[in-house]
Amino acid sequence: MASTLYAQLTTPTKLTPLPSRKLSSTLSWRTMFDASTLSPPNFPIISTTKVGKNCSVPKVVCNAQAAPAAVNLAPGTPVRPTSILVVGATGTLGRQVVRRALDEGYDVRCLVRPRPAPADFLRDWGATVVNADLSKPETIPATLIGIHTVIDCATGRPEEPIKTVDWEGKVALIQCAKAMGIQKFIFFSIHNCDKHPEVPLMEIKHCTEKFLRDSGLNHIVIRLCGFMQGLIGQYAVPILEEKSVWGTDAPTRIAYMDTQDIARLTFIALRNENINGKLLTFAGPRAWTTQEVITLCERLAGQDANVTTVPVSVLRLTRQLTRLFEWTNDVADRLAFSEVLTSDTVFSVPMTETYSLLGVDAKDVSSLEKYLQDYFTNILKKLKDLKAQSKQTDIFF
């Protein structure tokens, strides 16, 4: 039976795509393929159900006898609890999840899309790299064989339609995980995604949360506010290079968090059986506006920033214009965050209860001041050393 099941799950299947639809401000998509062509007999059957006010998403209805066969493919060959598949392993968060997992002794497999520059750094760290693509569901099942836990850090590339990876790809991944008997699924979402259905990516995240919950998989959803690492390229580097820093006049406040802390807390949650099925939100110690972040970078860099402020009203107008043309719809969807920036939203939550649940001391979580101070101290020291070396190698005639 095991060999037959292996062949069924690893053989590429014929998919039946539904008619393409334009991405609107709310979701009304059905599954992009017929799950009966992907799943062997007695594996999950997909139907469509209404989820929430604006979401129509597929629903997994699982045969009660399917789970035992899926969890253990053959007698005497149980899946090791330490076997993890990280999806989106080359991203800002994904690579920290991989690094943390390896440091803690997990067997890490990384799902990476075929790319001209291979992800050799993941192999150098000790992870196994497998090529697959969430936008091609037939490539997913083989990556899940022998895996206990899936950690989904993936998101679509800027040049891709949002729905390709972040909705259709995630639906396919969850369906395959259910069919393969994956025992735990961790999904990273966005804080306040349930409050902004007008923003396509946030609506997608919210619907994916619901789809995962309805799938019956043992799961944890972790909502995130913002990454400290993203501020380096956005503000720190341009200030040091005396280039323009782009900002907005928005009052939105974001509690940025170090992705290393996110990865550490994720594995604490993973090992805590009392957190199964819960929705957690991770946030940094303090919420910051764009201007406050720029001011902090200026102080630590010891020089003023050349700030170019883009009014939020301009972003909103640009979004309205790009929605007039089908070939710019994807740009309009990404500009939809301008709607969030005008809503006085605070991307932060009190973390006291979460720290208590995880058994974590708040003092062990990095603050933005400490993170940026370490960065500027290190980079300025390196620049000073390089300058000194260049003077020592000067040749005069």
Side-chain angles (χ1 to χ4, degrees):
M1 174 183 175
S3 60
T4 303
L5 180 58
Y6 178 91
Q8 287 176 315
L9 291 173
T10 56
T11 302
T13 55
K14 183 179 179 182
L15 305 182
T16 308
L18 294 175
S20 60
R21 303 183 183 185
K22 184 184 293 187
L23 182 61
S24 62
S25 60
T26 58
L27 290 178
S28 59
W29 309 313
R30 294 173 183 269
T31 183
M32 66 174 178
F33 63 95
D34 181 356
S36 63
T37 63
L38 178 66
S39 307
N42 295 327
F43 269 41
I45 305 300
I46 307 301
S47 62
T48 301
T49 185
K50 188 74 173 178
V51 181
K53 181 178 180 180
N54 299 314
C55 309
S56 293
V57 298
K59 181 179 180 181
V60 176
V61 181
C62 184
N63 187 302
Q65 298 179 352
V71 171
N72 197 351
L73 297 181
T77 57
V79 174
R80 296 188 306 274
T82 56
S83 59
I84 290 178
L85 176 70
V86 179
V87 185
T90 59
T92 303
L93 176 59
R95 63 182 62 199
Q96 296 297 343
V97 169
V98 172
R99 182 72 268 172
R100 187 75 194 188
L102 291 169
D103 289 345
E104 295 193 8
Y106 287 89
D107 301 317
V108 183
R109 186 183 302 170
C110 301
L111 188 157
V112 177
R113 281 195 271 191
R115 48 196 285 173
D120 288 337
F121 71 95
L122 296 173
R123 295 186 180 91
D124 293 341
W125 289 352
T128 300
V129 176
V130 293
N131 285 333
D133 192 334
L134 294 186
S135 64
K136 300 176 181 177
E138 70 274 12
T139 67
I140 299 174
T143 69
L144 297 171
I145 294 173
I147 293 296
H148 180 279
T149 299
V150 171
I151 302 180
D152 176 17
C153 312
T155 190
R157 296 167 179 164
E159 67 272 14
E160 293 176 317
I162 290 177
K163 71 173 184 177
T164 301
V165 169
D166 288 289
W167 174 245
E168 295 172 346
K170 298 306 179 72
V171 166
L173 177 63
I174 293 169
Q175 289 172 336
C176 290
K178 181 64 178 181
M180 294 288 289
I182 295 301
Q183 297 180 46
K184 187 167 290 188
F185 195 108
I186 295 180
F187 173 65
F188 289 104
S189 188
I190 302 175
H191 179 47
N192 285 331
C193 63
D194 53 327
K195 298 179 181 178
H196 294 280
E198 75 279 6
V199 180
L201 180 58
M202 298 183 79
E203 174 75 343
I204 285 172
K205 290 289 189 182
H206 186 216
C207 285
T208 306
E209 291 178 3
K210 294 182 177 182
F211 183 69
L212 178 58
R213 182 189 63 209
D214 291 345
S215 73
L217 280 168
N218 188 11
H219 70 278
I220 302 173
V221 173
I222 301 175
R223 291 182 177 180
L224 305 175
C225 296
F227 300 158
M228 292 181 185
Q229 280 73 6
L231 301 177
I232 300 302
Q234 191 171 2
Y235 302 117
V237 172
I239 289 175
L240 289 171
E241 295 181 349
E242 299 182 355
K243 296 181 179 179
S244 293
V245 175
W246 295 86
T248 70
D249 57 355
T252 305
R253 307 180 71 87
I254 301 174
Y256 299 98
M257 197 171 190
D258 188 342
T259 53
Q260 293 186 26
D261 286 331
I262 294 173
R264 179 171 61 90
L265 298 185
T266 296
F267 281 97
I268 293 174
L270 172 62
R271 291 187 292 268
N272 189 335
E273 294 299 324
N274 294 326
I275 298 179
N276 290 340
K278 290 186 179 295
L279 188 156
L280 304 176
T281 299
F282 291 170
R286 174 189 163 186
W288 299 73
T289 64
T290 297
Q291 187 54 55
E292 288 173 339
V293 173
I294 293 174
T295 300
L296 176 61
C297 289
E298 287 178 320
R299 177 170 61 82
L300 295 174
Q303 61 191 66
D304 294 335
N306 179 19
V307 182
T308 300
T309 301
V310 180
V312 173
S313 58
V314 173
L315 295 177
R316 299 186 70 179
L317 177 61
T318 304
R319 184 194 178 203
Q320 292 173 3
L321 291 175
T322 52
R323 292 181 68 179
L324 297 176
F325 307 97
E326 186 166 355
W327 55 276
T328 56
N329 271 329
D330 296 330
V331 176
D333 292 331
R334 295 188 183 277
L335 284 172
F337 275 105
S338 62
E339 303 293 338
V340 179
L341 296 178
T342 59
S343 62
D344 294 333
T345 300
V346 177
F347 284 86
S348 181
V349 293
M351 288 287 289
T352 304
E353 185 177 344
T354 301
Y355 289 149
S356 177
L357 183 65
L358 298 177
V360 173
D361 191 332
K363 296 179 181 179
D364 295 333
V365 176
S366 300
S367 66
L368 183 60
E369 296 99 324
K370 181 65 166 58
Y371 176 82
L372 288 177
Q373 184 177 32
D374 289 345
Y375 172 79
F376 279 105
T377 298
N378 291 331
I379 199 69
L380 290 174
K381 183 179 183 299
K382 289 180 180 179
L383 291 174
K384 184 178 180 180
D385 292 343
L386 287 173
K387 186 176 181 180
Q389 291 175 12
S390 66
K391 287 184 177 181
Q392 292 172 4
T393 56
D394 285 343
I395 300 177
F396 299 95
F397 293 92

